[in-house]
Amino acid sequence: MNSFNIIQKCLGVVGVIFAASASIAAPTISRLTPPSNPPSADAVTLARFLPGQRFDLQATVSPDAGASIASFSFAVDGVALKPAANTVGMVTTGLNAKLSDGTATPANTAVVSLRAYSNAVPGVHTLSVTAVQSDGQKVTRSGNFEVVGITRQGHVAKNIILLLGDGMGAAHRTAARIMVKGYAQGKAQGRLAMDTFPYTGMVMTSSLNSIVTDSAPGMSNYVSGNKANNNEEGVFPDDTVDAFDNPRIEYLSEYLHRLKGKRLGIVTTADVFDATPAANAVHTSNRGNGTGIVDQYLDDRKLTGLTVLMGGGRKWFLPNSSDSSDKTSPQAINGSQRKASSDYVLPGDIVAGWGAAPGATDPERDLIADFTAAGYAYVADKAGMDAAGNPDKLLGLFAYSNMNVAFDKINKRRGVSTIVDDFGFPDQPMLDEMADKALKVLSKNNRDGFYLMIEGASIDKQAHLMDTDRWIEETIEFDRAVKVARDFAATHPDTLVIVTADHECAGAAIIGAAAAVMPAYPSAATVATYEAARFPKYTIAADGYPQTTDVPGRMLIGYGANADRYETWLSSDQPTQDSQQPFVGAPPLNAHPRNPALRNASTGFLITGQIPGSQAVHTASDVPLSAFGRGASLFTGVFDNTDVFFKIGQAVLGGIK
Amino acid sequence: MKTSVKYQHLVRVLLVTAWLISSAATANEGERPILSADAMLSSLAMPVAGVPSPPREDATDLKFHEFFKLPVGPRGLEATEKLKSLAGKRIRMVGYMARQEIPTAGFFVLSPLPVSLGDEDESLADDLPASVVFVHVHPPGDKPLPFSPGLLRVTGILSIGAHEESDGHVSSVRLQLDPEIVQALAAGQRPM
């Protein structure tokens, strides 16, 4: 070892000692938001924003024992920020027991925020926070973020329609095509509407904290440009317990409403509080907070431009005035699920920074009445939707929780099933009918344009249940909504239509087909593979759905992310029970299979699962994305889900040559 | 020989499975609830036998599907005349005790199907069906009644209308449990 090396080693040791002593004797910053990758030459910039897009700055600072945090300031590119009045906050109570690194949260730890910051200058910017402890010691931590520039070129897209097939991977699309269009001699005999889109790419779907996302970041990442944690939507993670005080990221809807006056439409077959619809308008770190989520839809309509909201979820909109909160007029039974514990009240710095409604803990709120008072027409079934004409604003709540699936809705219309009656909602619209109504309302007297999200929610929910026939028909229903959007864009050429998924669900794969004659006892041997599978043929009825899915030689699906299930290779007459439904567990719904491990247990053969739990899970497989209309050419190649946001930004703000 | 033994075993497995499933299908709230798969599985797993409920001649049978009118109206669920007429009266119900992550003294939840409630991550947006009954124990006692898997038959005085429970849920239908049922449950018995 030469002397230079020895000196270098000694300096290293001194450095370690200095660092260790410094960490004991000074405050520490365990989190700086927006999140950054550790500095390195090849690290990608994690947090990216469109010019002027708003986001919160936040840091978690822990002082030395016995000390507290006296002051803090944020700086961008070395210049200290001067926050507007009341837009900064310091929180020292209600913190999580552990910090993001897993260590116990020290006493007097402070979460400090500067709300609704924005930057219009393209490029990578340095963000730093400096905190001063009560004894005068300082700490600084730096990270970065990027403002993605817009190139001004040609015509801009005025309207954006994003159709999200929840859980719809490549296999879900292919299965729907095989069933509804048919193949012969190797060629598809027709194309799904989504197949006709001229540009297609592949999307990487991971969330901020996992390769496998759930639906909250799965949607949020598309419309915020940034990665969110699982279960979180429109926010970055933080170190407080409150699920509504997280650092916010301005959504596409909010950004375009503020800049361009665009309206927002949300259409889903799920409960409207569900992660995908909510992740277009509501900011929370807990996707389960139904009361606060539905309240924010209405309360912050001036931020989002909410004009159409349709789906299930009536239970969140009904007043729940308990005898303890309102002794004079106790609430009659209405099935309300509004609760104080899932409601929201915002801290003052968010209210001031974002111009957001402060919120209130009000389970007794009659939200349908409040929507109506705010000018929304309220409809509760298809007949009501049809009769509503073309109102300025529309609220449609067609079920108590999630809506019934296409398989059961269409069988009711054919007069061969009473399942939707048994659920209590005999007249539910199909997704394409809702999409058509939404487009009429959104485009009425609208020079500024709109952003409409249409979700086929139960592709995912039925894939979780490995109910093959139900998710395939759900995909067919979704594609009919895609056709409605494409037809709209054909007559409104300043419209961009995007069809994609938030993630794949269940690891679905088309593994072959059944033999022409089903054996009495189904098994793996039932599956005709390769050339024995031939080309399954389904008869499509005038309503656009297969007359039956139980045809001889039917297509068979396997699952790579499966829980235990009994497989018969046939459709299930009854949907698997959903405990959120009001009449679940009582006759006749109690005769429905309770979960995939019980469904068909007397007639099927057991396929053991590879994952824990009773349902199949999401996977990290890339999902296809297809685009049509103004700006569609931007959507080719393999890209991240957050990239979609910036491509939309280019199409809407900069235009296309 | 080997094949036939294997075959017999297969038949046995199939029969048990068929029985399990047919019973699960017939009754979350069926006429013969003792045949439920959950009840059988739980009786295999735990030494809790169903014991006859004390006879209560003044109790009217009420079933979960008799709570709300069909179809559901635009302003939510509506109580049936039967449910309303039984308020303040003694009723008898069959259902499942919901599994509580953090059991609470003074009440448990009776559900038409086996469910869990109070998962911290779900902020009470949990899987409780709308028709659950909050079953109150008076006096509440110091500790929660032990969890009893499988179907229970309980009697008590019915009350309806929104009421905020001590865990933050707002209940619509409640039952003031009869003392003898409380005793049976506290003793680890499963009244049927």
Side-chain angles (χ1 to χ4, degrees):
Chain A
M1 186 179 285
N2 62 34
S3 58
F4 178 74
N5 279 349
I6 292 170
I7 291 167
Q8 209 176 23
K9 287 235 164 194
C10 289
L11 282 174
V13 170
V14 170
V16 167
I17 292 168
F18 179 76
S21 58
S23 70
I24 292 166
T28 56
I29 298 172
S30 58
R31 188 197 290 276
L32 175 61
T33 300
S36 304
N37 274 322
S40 76
D42 59 350
V44 296
T45 310
L46 199 52
R48 296 181 300 159
F49 305 93
L50 282 171
Q53 184 190 358
R54 304 197 291 182
F55 57 100
D56 289 340
L57 311 178
Q58 192 172 80
T60 303
V61 194
S62 299
D64 290 333
S68 60
I69 301 304
S71 66
F72 66 92
S73 63
F74 289 94
V76 172
D77 301 328
V79 179
L81 301 177
K82 291 177 185 159
N86 305 321
T87 61
V88 293
M90 183 188 303
V91 174
T92 54
T93 56
L95 304 191
N96 293 331
K98 289 182 177 173
L99 295 173
S100 50
D101 61 6
T103 60
T105 303
N108 296 332
T109 292
V111 172
V112 300
S113 311
L114 189 162
R115 304 291 182 174
Y117 171 77
S118 68
N119 191 311
V121 181
V124 176
H125 299 276
T126 303
L127 167 69
S128 59
V129 61
T130 300
V132 182
Q133 194 170 267
S134 45
D135 62 4
Q137 292 199 75
K138 280 187 187 176
V139 62
T140 296
R141 180 169 164 175
S142 296
N144 62 18
F145 65 88
E146 181 179 359
V147 174
V148 177
I150 297 291
T151 307
R152 300 204 180 277
Q153 49 178 21
H155 297 291
V156 298
K158 174 183 160 190
N159 308 312
I160 306 105
I161 307 174
L162 200 165
L163 293 116
L164 191 120
D166 205 305
M168 186 180 73
H172 302 74
R173 285 176 69 151
T174 310
R177 186 191 311 121
I178 290 172
M179 184 177 282
V180 83
K181 301 297 178 187
Y183 280 52
Q185 299 189 80
K187 285 199 170 178
Q189 299 299 288
R191 299 294 160 94
L192 297 175
M194 62 183 109
D195 294 337
T196 66
F197 284 26
Y199 295 95
T200 290
M202 293 287 282
V203 184
M204 300 178 271
T205 63
S206 296
S207 67
L208 182 60
N209 63 343
S210 174
I211 50 171
V212 183
T213 188
D214 74 271
S215 289
M219 181 79 237
S220 181
N221 297 354
Y222 281 134
V223 291
S224 70
N226 284 274
K227 296 285 185 182
N229 268 2
N230 282 5
N231 300 310
E232 306 192 358
E233 47 209 26
V235 295
F236 290 118
D238 72 358
D239 293 299
T240 71
V241 175
D242 186 343
F244 286 103
D245 71 347
N246 285 58
R248 291 183 164 202
I249 314 154
E250 191 167 36
Y251 279 125
L252 182 71
S253 62
E254 297 167 315
Y255 181 69
L256 294 183
H257 184 65
R258 185 164 60 85
L259 261 59
K260 300 282 182 184
K262 294 195 190 300
R263 301 173 186 173
L264 169 64
I266 295 175
V267 173
T268 178
T269 48
D271 185 322
V272 295
F273 101 106
D274 211 6
T276 302
N280 285 282
V282 177
H283 302 269
T284 178
S285 62
N286 187 340
R287 56 178 281 182
N289 278 333
T291 312
I293 287 168
V294 295
D295 280 359
Q296 273 195 4
Y297 277 132
L298 180 67
D299 295 346
D300 284 342
R301 65 191 180 281
K302 294 199 169 82
L303 293 180
T304 62
L306 184 76
T307 305
V308 173
L309 179 63
M310 283 197 275
R314 204 175 297 167
K315 64 184 181 182
W316 301 111
F317 290 70
L318 308 165
N320 201 352
S321 169
S322 76
D323 47 4
S324 52
S325 63
D326 186 358
K327 290 185 194 310
T328 54
S329 57
Q331 177 67 52
I333 291 175
N334 59 14
S336 174
Q337 294 296 310
R338 293 180 60 84
K339 297 177 182 79
S341 55
S342 64
D343 211 338
Y344 86 103
V345 176
L346 297 184
D349 51 341
I350 291 185
V351 174
W354 290 87
T361 307
D362 51 2
E364 68 279 7
R365 183 178 192 181
D366 184 342
L367 194 57
I368 292 175
D370 285 0
F371 261 91
T372 315
Y376 293 78
Y378 169 57
V379 295
D381 54 20
K382 179 177 183 295
M385 186 178 84
D386 293 343
N390 197 358
D392 294 336
K393 291 187 268 185
L394 181 61
L395 171 69
L397 300 173
F398 304 112
Y400 177 79
S401 175
N402 299 316
M403 293 173 68
N404 278 106
V405 296
F407 187 97
D408 300 310
K409 286 188 293 190
I410 212 72
N411 279 338
K412 157 73 178 178
R413 293 190 181 189
R414 291 172 178 175
V416 297
S417 163
T418 58
I419 281 171
V420 299
D421 301 357
D422 298 338
F423 274 66
F425 302 90
D427 184 29
Q428 299 169 58
M430 307 299 289
L431 184 62
D432 46 323
E433 296 161 351
M434 295 157 71
D436 182 61
K437 175 63 80 173
L439 285 167
K440 287 191 169 79
V441 174
L442 285 166
S443 57
K444 178 183 167 187
N445 302 328
N446 186 352
R447 285 181 310 176
D448 299 323
F450 59 81
Y451 161 60
L452 169 62
M453 194 288 299
I454 301 170
E455 184 198 18
S458 291
I459 300 170
D460 177 74
K461 295 180 195 303
Q462 294 299 319
H464 274 295
L465 297 169
M466 298 167 288
D467 190 328
T468 299
D469 303 80
R470 281 184 174 75
W471 66 248
I472 297 178
E473 292 214 4
E474 212 63 10
T475 311
I476 294 171
E477 181 192 43
F478 177 70
D479 192 59
R480 291 171 64 84
V482 172
K483 181 176 182 305
V484 169
R486 189 193 62 188
D487 291 349
F488 179 89
T491 54
H492 299 76
D494 47 6
T495 302
L496 167 65
V497 186
I498 298 166
V499 179
T500 188
D502 45 359
H503 51 75
E504 198 276 344
C505 183
I510 299 149
I511 56 175
V517 179
M518 282 292 236
Y521 302 101
S523 69
T526 312
V527 183
T529 57
Y530 297 104
E531 61 276 9
R534 303 165 62 88
F535 299 105
K537 287 277 178 280
Y538 297 83
T539 303
I540 305 304
D543 55 30
Y545 295 82
Q547 199 63 54
T548 172
T549 57
D550 290 325
V551 296
R554 68 199 300 267
M555 169 174 52
L556 300 184
I557 304 291
Y559 297 94
N562 61 312
D564 284 359
R565 78 180 195 278
Y566 284 92
E567 186 56 78
T568 60
W569 303 124
L570 291 169
S571 69
S572 180
D573 287 344
Q574 299 150 336
T576 303
Q577 288 187 23
D578 170 1
S579 68
Q580 300 279 336
Q581 299 295 337
F583 299 95
V584 68
L589 299 188
N590 65 341
H592 296 187
R594 199 178 294 156
N595 63 53
L598 293 173
R599 183 180 64 213
N600 299 324
S602 60
T603 51
F605 71 105
L606 179 66
I607 299 179
T608 50
Q610 302 158 78
I611 48 102
S614 61
Q615 297 194 351
V617 295
H618 300 171
T619 73
S621 299
D622 290 355
V623 295
L625 179 150
S626 300
F628 179 94
R630 179 79 45 85
S633 59
L634 296 167
F635 295 87
T636 58
V638 179
F639 43 87
D640 188 65
N641 53 8
T642 58
D643 291 333
V644 171
F645 178 77
F646 299 97
K647 292 173 188 293
I648 294 173
Q650 175 61 42
V652 175
L653 301 175
I656 297 301
K657 279 180 190 162
Chain B
M1 181 63 194
K2 259 185 179 171
T3 313
S4 95
V5 169
K6 222 172 166 183
Y7 179 70
Q8 281 173 9
H9 176 69
L10 181 67
V11 168
R12 214 174 292 132
V13 168
L14 281 174
L15 282 174
V16 169
T17 310
W19 176 68
L20 264 172
I21 301 321
S22 63
S23 53
T26 51
N28 303 351
E29 183 199 87
E31 289 307 305
R32 293 183 300 150
I34 196 68
L35 285 181
S36 104
D38 292 77
M40 201 197 90
L41 288 173
S42 59
S43 65
L44 289 175
M46 296 181 65
V48 180
V51 296
S53 296
R56 296 294 305 227
E57 290 178 1
D58 55 344
T60 305
D61 280 321
L62 178 65
K63 297 186 172 177
F64 288 105
H65 74 273
E66 296 172 323
F67 281 16
F68 306 123
K69 290 179 186 168
L70 270 171
V72 176
R75 303 286 307 182
L77 304 175
E78 295 164 80
T80 59
E81 293 310 314
K82 177 167 183 178
L83 182 66
K84 286 193 270 190
S85 71
L86 288 173
K89 299 189 175 137
R90 174 163 280 111
I91 58 122
R92 181 165 58 182
M93 289 202 69
V94 174
Y96 295 90
M97 184 186 284
R99 195 185 286 272
Q100 285 175 272
E101 200 155 280
I102 306 162
T104 314
F107 77 86
F108 66 88
V109 173
L110 193 73
S111 165
L113 76 170
V115 290
S116 302
L117 81 112
D119 185 331
E120 203 179 329
D121 292 338
E122 293 179 323
S123 296
L124 304 181
D126 44 34
D127 288 341
L128 278 193
S131 59
V132 293
V133 178
F134 279 71
V135 180
H136 287 253
V137 177
H138 189 77
D142 297 335
K143 54 181 185 178
L145 290 172
F147 176 70
S148 180
L151 283 160
L152 307 176
R153 177 175 283 135
V154 296
T155 58
I157 305 299
L158 183 75
S159 65
I160 64 172
H163 170 75
E164 191 174 328
E165 302 289 346
S166 58
D167 70 342
H169 281 93
V170 176
S171 62
S172 294
V173 181
R174 288 164 302 284
L175 197 65
Q176 183 75 52
L177 201 59
D178 282 336
E180 50 272 33
I181 306 287
V182 179
Q183 284 168 14
L185 285 168
Q189 295 171 338
R190 186 165 60 82
M192 265 318 303

